[in-house]
Amino acid sequence: CRALASAAADAGEQEACARWLRRADISATVRKSRRERALNEALRGRILFLQAHCDEGRGVVEAAAADLRDMRMEWSADAALRGL
């Protein structure tokens, strides 16, 4: 779902992006996955950044990256920050 949300964001399809991101959030909740939640938040921040909500997007990405680092997911944290 997150990959489809990302593709929709890149294509400028905001409605589809929101729908896929909601599904990714549901999946993370059902699976009780902290990792999935953090990755979803990193994407959410990137989308906000693309929509010119730069400060808000940066804050969301930085918080997600901190959570990923806390889980020892350095590569994912770095990848999230590279998108800014």
Side-chain angles (χ1 to χ4, degrees):
C1 295
R2 192 172 43 254
L4 292 170
S6 180
D10 291 342
E13 299 173 9
Q14 291 183 359
E15 189 174 310
C17 176
R19 182 177 61 249
W20 285 113
L21 195 51
R22 278 192 306 275
R23 290 180 182 178
D25 287 337
I26 291 167
S27 178
T29 299
V30 168
R31 295 174 64 193
K32 298 177 184 172
S33 174
R34 180 180 171 199
R35 173 188 173 272
E36 295 298 321
R37 280 193 305 272
L39 292 170
N40 291 350
E41 284 301 299
L43 176 58
R44 183 171 282 107
R46 184 178 137 248
I47 291 165
L48 286 166
F49 201 81
L50 289 173
Q51 294 173 340
H53 302 284
C54 299
D55 291 339
E56 183 181 1
R58 182 180 309 280
V60 172
V61 169
E62 288 174 349
D67 200 21
L68 290 164
R69 286 193 199 291
D70 189 51
M71 290 183 275
R72 306 264 190 248
M73 297 183 65
E74 300 294 327
W75 185 91
S76 295
D78 291 342
L81 293 170
R82 274 194 300 274
L84 296 179

